[in-house]
Amino acid sequence: MSLERVDEIFARASGLEGPERERYLEEACAGDSELRIEVQTLLDAHDAQGGFLAEPSRMSAIATVTSGPVEQRGQMVGRYKLLQQIGQGGFGTVWMADQREPVKRRVALKIIKLGMDTEQVIARFEAERQALAMLDHPNIAKVLDAGSTETGRPYFVMEYIRGDPILEYCDRETLDTKGRLELFVLVCNAIQHAHQKGIIHRDIKPGNVLVTMHDGEPVPKVIDFGIAKATSSELTAKTLFTEHRQMIGTPAYMSPEQAEMSGLDIDTRTDVYSLGVLLYELLTGSTPFENEELMSKGFVEMMRIIRDIDPPKPSTRLSESVDTIASVAAKRHAEPKKLSTIVRGELDWIVMKALEKNRNRRYESASRFADDIRQFLAGESVDAAPPSKIYRLRKIVRRNTAAVVGGTLVALALMAGLIAFAWQASIAEDERARALVDRNAAVEAQELADQRAADLEVVANFQEDMLKRVRVWNAGDQLAQDMMERYQETLEQLGIP
């Protein structure tokens, strides 16, 4: 998050009020919850001063919200000594700390940010703390303790993970496809455990899956259930609100139902989708939709892309990555020409099943996702399969309803013209045959035939005009192109040029 960007948004928003300010913040922050919180904090501080600053200053606003004690290196928080700040999120800071009693150990201590201790944020923080306390799995970072600082800000203590984000680890160790899949299965198992406890992570991404070493073996650990939500039980006595239209999650890993901005309609299949994005990135080196590109599109367009646009298959993405394929293949211990071949087929099917826009067509659980990968690794048939032609046709129709309806009407017009064309041609042929049989009526028949030929030319001109209009109107629409090709074939079969 750029401080210059925070300054820019803060300076403009401070001159706005009410709905106008809200609309500007939604557009400017484009769903970046951390950026929105940072700017809102400064705006709250500025408003508290009565807005008397002629030229709003980020530093002056910060001075207001940071007055008072803040944590520093060497400080004691409860029985923990702060050693070094190792992370910072939208709601809290993470410190590496030493526990002195009753046991000595290195821990990670997460404290809510100063100035962020509103009722809503504290409720979300308490949800995170209690969610983690419910989880007990070797691939999930353990929660060890919880408490409050002297200033009343809550904190909790987690198992300290010495590790790297899963993508960085796999690339540094140049793990091949098999090694990456084996690690990914363990991540799926961890998420399945959380789901069984009624917890949805909702922000699965490489930075929230760290890989550490245990007895020389890599072990992934899922961290940061800070935006988790209970699906079957109340996590906290406080009501857990989410600010109107505030995005929870990271756009590149966000499921279509999250993009609908309806927190009431999120279930475990949201995490299955995000796991699919993570696997896509492990296999190809990029997400289906790049985060930077999404953020550059503006909020409304970004949500539309996530909800409606199908990404390319992993093998397609690899084959199209001409400039980067050598680097991507080297990090996966494979030859550039063979990497897309390794992924093509069953791995494509598995990933794309997890990334289905319609969640009813995704894997029903993280464990089923993992099972299909195990079956692939064992050389067995997988449950995932490419969508049928009928299903693909239905999706084309849903995405292009207006074009398909219009194309159908034009096709009906063309068909009617074709019938008229054939009918007129048949009449002309009958007239010529009759003229040959009855020479006495030859002149009259010829005149009739000439009239029919003139009528036929009018129909032909109409057909040509309609074809031109269809080509222009439906250029690039595969369904329309197929319709045109079949029409041309029909004309050829009838001997009509």
Side-chain angles (χ1 to χ4, degrees), residues 63-317:
T64 301
V65 294
T66 57
S67 58
V70 294
E71 284 70 36
Q72 299 179 356
R73 184 176 179 179
Q75 179 180 341
M76 295 296 296
V77 175
R79 54 193 175 191
Y80 305 96
K81 182 179 180 180
L82 304 183
L83 300 178
Q84 179 182 353
Q85 184 173 319
I86 57 176
Q88 181 169 305
F91 302 108
T93 55
V94 183
W95 287 80
M96 179 171 65
D98 271 343
Q99 181 178 349
R100 300 302 178 88
E101 55 181 24
V103 295
K104 293 183 178 181
R105 58 184 170 185
R106 186 65 50 85
V107 298
L109 191 143
K110 188 168 186 178
I111 313 173
I112 200 165
K113 277 184 177 180
L114 187 65
M116 302 303 298
D117 45 350
T118 66
E119 290 185 5
Q120 290 180 340
V121 174
I122 289 176
R124 186 172 297 162
F125 197 88
E126 289 184 0
E128 176 179 7
R129 184 169 66 188
Q130 294 189 38
L132 282 169
M134 295 168 65
L135 305 178
D136 182 17
H137 191 276
N139 298 114
I140 296 178
K142 292 182 174 64
V143 61
L144 305 173
D145 194 9
S148 298
T149 67
E150 293 180 357
T151 58
R153 289 180 295 134
Y155 70 83
F156 67 86
V157 183
M158 295 172 56
E159 173 187 5
Y160 175 64
I161 308 297
R162 294 180 181 273
D164 299 311
I166 187 169
L167 187 62
E168 292 182 18
Y169 172 82
C170 291
D171 287 352
R172 188 186 70 243
E173 299 297 322
T174 63
L175 290 191
D176 60 10
T177 299
K178 179 176 180 292
R180 291 167 185 252
L181 292 175
E182 289 172 343
L183 277 183
F184 182 76
V185 166
L186 298 178
V187 177
C188 289
N189 293 342
I191 298 301
Q192 178 66 22
H193 172 79
H195 290 173
Q196 289 173 335
K197 296 291 186 178
I199 303 299
I200 304 171
H201 191 290
R202 299 208 294 180
D203 195 23
I204 298 169
K205 56 186 178 183
N208 282 338
V209 182
L210 303 181
V211 178
T212 186
M213 301 302 294
H214 284 182
D215 297 328
E217 294 294 326
V219 178
K221 292 271 189 177
V222 181
I223 66 170
D224 199 0
F225 280 78
I227 52 179
K229 180 178 180 181
T231 58
S232 61
S233 61
E234 185 178 359
L235 285 177
T236 174
K238 294 187 176 69
T239 303
L240 184 59
F241 290 100
T242 299
E243 186 176 349
H244 178 58
R245 290 186 67 83
Q246 177 178 319
M247 184 186 301
I248 295 183
T250 304
Y253 300 85
M254 182 177 293
S255 69
E257 55 268 29
Q258 281 179 293
E260 293 287 351
M261 306 304 294
S262 175
L264 297 177
D265 197 30
I266 301 299
D267 62 25
T268 57
R269 290 169 294 183
T270 282
D271 281 349
V272 170
Y273 182 93
S274 298
L275 285 169
V277 177
L278 177 58
L279 180 56
Y280 192 108
E281 192 171 13
L282 286 171
L283 295 174
T284 69
S286 63
T287 52
F289 304 110
E290 292 292 348
N291 204 56
E292 293 76 10
E293 181 181 355
L294 283 174
M295 299 297 284
S296 70
K297 297 293 186 181
F299 182 80
V300 174
E301 178 63 10
M302 175 172 65
M303 295 296 98
R304 187 192 71 81
I305 291 172
I306 295 172
R307 291 194 310 265
D308 301 332
I309 304 300
D310 288 321
K313 294 182 294 184
S315 62
T316 302
R317 173 61 60 83

Side-chain angles (χ1 to χ4, degrees), residues 384-402:
S388 65
K389 291 182 179 180
I390 293 177
Y391 174 71
R392 287 199 296 268
L393 179 60
R394 286 174 180 169
K395 293 194 72 173
I396 290 173
V397 171
R398 280 199 299 268
R399 285 200 304 268
N400 304 279
T401 302

Side-chain angles (χ1 to χ4, degrees), residues 29 31-38 90-91 246-249:
C29 295
D32 187 334
S33 57
E34 185 174 347
L35 174 61
R36 176 66 181 268
I37 291 168
E38 184 75 16
F91 302 108
Q246 177 178 319
M247 184 186 301
I248 295 183

Side-chain angles (χ1 to χ4, degrees), residues 405-415 466 469-470 473-474 483:
V405 171
T408 301
L409 293 176
V410 173
L412 291 175
L414 290 172
M415 187 177 296
M466 291 298 292
R469 291 175 183 271
V470 171
W473 187 65
N474 268 329
M483 195 180 296

Side-chain angles (χ1 to χ4, degrees), residues 318-357:
L318 287 170
S319 62
E320 292 176 347
S321 304
V322 179
D323 296 334
T324 59
I325 187 61
S327 173
V328 171
K331 292 174 182 177
R332 285 152 183 78
H333 210 70
E335 296 179 16
K337 294 182 179 180
K338 293 184 178 180
L339 185 57
S340 62
T341 303
I342 294 172
V343 176
R344 185 177 298 116
E346 290 177 322
L347 284 179
D348 273 340
W349 303 346
I350 290 172
V351 173
M352 299 311 288
K353 181 177 178 68
L355 295 179
E356 279 282 357
K357 303 295 185 186

